[in-house]
Amino acid sequence: MAKDQMIRTVLIVLNVIFWLIGALFLCAGLTFRFEYYRMIRGYPISEEMYIPVFCLMALGAYLMIITFCGCCGAASSHKCMLTTFAVVNGLMLLVQIVVGILMLVYAGQMKIWIGDIFERQLRQRTSLERFDESYKSFLIFWQEHLTCCGLNSKDDWRDPLGSESRATCLCILEEPERDRECLPHGENRNQIYVYKPCVDEFSAFVGKYMYVIGGILMVICILQVLAIIGACTLVRRWRDEEGYVM
């Protein structure tokens, strides 16, 4: 009985942790979906950008529901609820492994995917100067923080050294650590330089956070395995006990 109580306590604690993680994911997804959308609704952002947000929301909702089932099953010694928890968690664990493998296989396609999105944004307008002021301010903000110029090319700006983008596009060669990021521009190719396009830097930025997300999912997978083992152990011990009433 003491061992059962210890396993039950550990299982409840794991489920509470999972529930909090699920609530965090769901809140973050809803915040990005509505608040961030409100900020950029006037920009030509591809709908594909929202796929990770919807996945985050779905994962959060799933975690909150299944952990509620697991926590109640462990607390009330309900064999059916714990069995459901273990089976569904096992299936989701397989899905997460498949998704992780696909992310590793297609990680090299990230730059192509982002470049295609940028290209579609420019398709209806031949240069970034043709976008509204809010979008240009949004892009210039990212150019400054990622040290880049233009989307797929510096020539996305009709004049990358014009008054609007000059502060973020002009590359100063007196800064040796940034020399590798500079490209010659215009007729004075030995004197004037601009930064590389943002597709490279943005891809690296997204890739960095993909590794963070991957690490978080790995921790979740490990906790899931522990929770499944705990649930299966309890169910098996209960089945072996005489006089157990479901």
Side-chain angles (χ1 to χ4, degrees):
M1 292 298 294
K3 186 175 182 180
D4 285 0
Q5 186 62 39
M6 182 185 69
I7 295 174
R8 183 185 301 177
T9 301
V10 171
L11 195 55
I12 291 173
V13 170
L14 285 176
N15 277 287
V16 170
I17 293 174
F18 273 132
W19 192 92
L20 292 174
I21 292 173
L24 179 62
F25 283 177
L26 184 59
C27 290
L30 289 172
T31 300
F32 277 113
R33 174 63 183 87
F34 294 106
E35 183 62 22
Y36 187 63
Y37 176 78
R38 182 185 64 80
M39 295 169 57
I40 64 172
R41 63 182 180 272
Y43 307 152
I45 302 298
S46 169
E47 290 298 323
E48 294 170 352
M49 289 290 194
Y50 291 114
I51 293 178
V53 176
F54 292 139
C55 290
L56 188 65
M57 292 167 60
L59 179 60
Y62 157 77
L63 285 174
M64 293 183 71
I65 294 171
I66 196 62
T67 53
F68 177 79
C69 179
C71 192
C72 290
S76 62
S77 301
H78 199 293
K79 185 171 65 176
C80 183
M81 292 184 73
L82 271 187
T83 302
T84 301
F85 169 79
V87 171
V88 175
N89 246 339
L91 293 174
M92 181 55 67
L93 184 61
L94 292 177
V95 171
Q96 288 173 234
I97 292 173
V98 171
V99 170
I101 292 172
L102 290 176
M103 287 177 66
L104 289 174
V105 170
Y106 291 102
Q109 302 296 316
M110 179 63 66
K111 181 178 176 180
I112 298 174
W113 179 61
I114 293 176
D116 182 60
I117 292 174
F118 285 167
E119 184 179 350
R120 275 181 282 167
Q121 289 180 358
L122 281 165
R123 193 167 294 165
Q124 295 179 346
R125 299 173 174 88
T126 56
S127 69
L128 292 172
E129 280 88 351
R130 293 179 178 269
F131 286 99
D132 59 41
E133 293 301 321
S134 58
Y135 182 79
K136 286 187 286 189
S137 298
F138 181 74
L139 177 59
I140 288 173
F141 168 82
W142 282 105
Q143 285 187 167
E144 179 179 4
H145 283 77
L146 296 179
T147 316
C148 56
C149 180
L151 296 177
N152 284 329
S153 167
K154 61 184 179 61
D155 296 323
D156 292 338
W157 292 101
R158 186 170 55 244
D159 181 10
L161 296 180
S163 57
E164 293 179 300
S165 58
R166 180 181 179 86
T168 53
C169 279
L170 181 63
C171 188
I172 308 300
L173 289 179
E174 280 73 11
E175 302 178 27
E177 70 278 5
R178 291 186 174 181
D179 285 359
R180 60 183 178 81
E181 302 172 347
C182 299
L183 296 173
H185 173 70
E187 297 178 357
N188 300 321
R189 298 180 67 86
N190 295 324
Q191 299 178 17
I192 301 177
Y193 292 80
V194 296
Y195 289 116
K196 290 182 177 180
C198 290
V199 62
D200 297 321
E201 300 299 328
F202 194 72
S203 299
F205 176 80
V206 173
K208 180 177 70 175
Y209 281 94
M210 281 185 64
Y211 284 113
V212 174
I213 294 172
I216 293 173
L217 290 178
M218 181 65 69
V219 172
I220 291 176
C221 286
I222 294 172
L223 293 177
Q224 277 181 294
V225 170
L226 294 176
I228 292 170
I229 293 173
C232 291
T233 301
L234 278 180
V235 171
R236 183 174 181 179
R237 289 174 69 89
W238 289 341
R239 282 178 176 172
D240 292 339
E241 288 179 1
E242 293 183 358
Y244 177 79
V245 180
M246 181 175 172

